[in-house]
Amino acid sequence: MVNNIELNKRQTQILQIVKADGPITGEQIAVRLHLTRATLRPDLAILTMAGFLDARPRVGYFYSGKSGTQLLTENLKKLHVKDYQSMPVAVQDNVSVYDAICHMFLEDVGTLFVLDQQGHLAGVVSRKDLLRASIGQQDLTSLPVNVIMTRMPNVTYCKPDDLLVSVASKLISKQIDSLPVVKKTDTGFEVSGRITKTNITKAFVSLSKDEG
């Protein structure tokens, strides 16, 4: 996939030939450049996988006409939550704030999803929520987490088929570090995973490494 890909001299020449005379076969391109078909094969493969060229059997190569930005946009629209989500980290709504702090520390996460007694999403609690509670004079071992959490329906969430780029936009606009991935049922929202800034960063980095 393309992500500010830098073309070498030969690849640039191939693009110019295909732009001017496509569709054109690999053999014809090789003749124009005074090279063998085998020599050109890696360059043609790179240009095709990057999206600059399209190839059709018995027709040849032709220029896609798409800019690097267009190609990157298309690739981003292929990234869905379900392919990059990680396991959710959750607590029951009746656990104490103290236990929630311990759980967050042990799991090394910035947000805990809070579930009701039926296992449905009831709310979320962040590091800031827990820090705010710990600064007060309350007994953290007896204060239930559901008192300080952000409750449904004020929780921002996403679904498995959502685009990662849309989720990234939500994280930025809400200034939060993760979202629960949910499935809607007749009785509530079941949490199936989580998407974090780290998940999204890894997915976007994979664009520059994916060559297939």
Side-chain angles (χ1 to χ4, degrees):
M1 295 181 183
V2 64
N3 189 359
N4 296 326
I5 185 171
E6 294 184 6
L7 303 181
N8 61 33
K9 181 179 179 180
R10 182 187 297 163
Q11 291 162 357
T12 301
Q13 290 176 322
I14 292 171
L15 275 185
Q16 292 172 344
I17 291 171
V18 177
K19 280 183 183 181
D21 301 317
I24 184 171
T25 66
E27 289 77 8
Q28 291 170 326
I29 298 172
V31 170
R32 295 276 293 275
L33 293 176
H34 307 291
L35 298 169
T36 65
R37 176 71 173 83
T39 301
L40 285 187
R41 189 172 290 117
D43 294 308
L44 290 170
I46 289 171
L47 292 172
T48 302
M49 289 188 292
F52 290 108
L53 298 181
D54 283 329
R56 294 179 184 172
R58 296 183 295 278
V59 174
Y61 295 91
F62 57 94
Y63 183 60
S64 70
K66 298 171 183 175
S67 67
T69 300
Q70 288 174 312
L71 293 167
L72 180 57
T73 299
E74 289 183 0
N75 291 332
L76 288 175
K77 290 181 178 179
K78 297 176 183 176
L79 303 181
H80 292 88
V81 166
K82 61 187 176 185
D83 299 316
Y84 294 94
Q85 69 184 53
S86 52
M87 294 295 293
V89 180
V91 295
Q92 292 294 315
D93 60 359
N94 59 355
V95 304
S96 70
V97 170
Y98 177 83
D99 287 337
I101 292 173
C102 293
H103 195 59
M104 180 176 283
F105 176 78
L106 291 173
E107 294 290 342
D108 192 22
V109 294
T111 303
L112 295 174
F113 307 141
V114 184
L115 308 180
D116 62 22
Q117 299 308 302
Q118 288 72 46
H120 299 134
L121 182 64
V124 297
V125 62
S126 68
R127 281 196 185 105
K128 289 181 180 179
D129 295 326
L130 296 175
L131 178 60
R132 192 178 299 115
S134 65
I135 292 175
Q137 301 299 317
Q138 305 170 90
D139 179 7
L140 300 184
T141 60
S142 60
L143 178 66
V145 75
N146 59 22
V147 173
I148 67 166
M149 71 182 184
T150 299
R151 295 176 174 272
M152 293 291 284
N154 298 316
V155 174
T156 303
Y157 57 83
C158 62
K159 297 180 180 179
D161 289 326
D162 287 349
L163 293 176
L164 276 187
V165 67
S166 298
V167 175
S169 179
K170 288 183 179 180
L171 291 177
I172 293 171
S173 64
K174 299 290 185 178
Q175 297 184 344
I176 51 181
D177 60 12
S178 69
L179 293 182
V181 183
V182 303
K183 176 183 178 182
K184 187 175 183 180
T185 68
D186 292 337
T187 53
F189 289 98
E190 294 180 354
V191 180
S192 61
R194 66 188 171 109
I195 281 290
T196 68
K197 291 178 179 178
T198 300
N199 294 134
I200 292 175
T201 300
K202 288 179 179 178
F204 290 173
V205 168
S206 73
L207 288 178
S208 65
K209 296 181 179 180
D210 189 354
E211 297 183 350

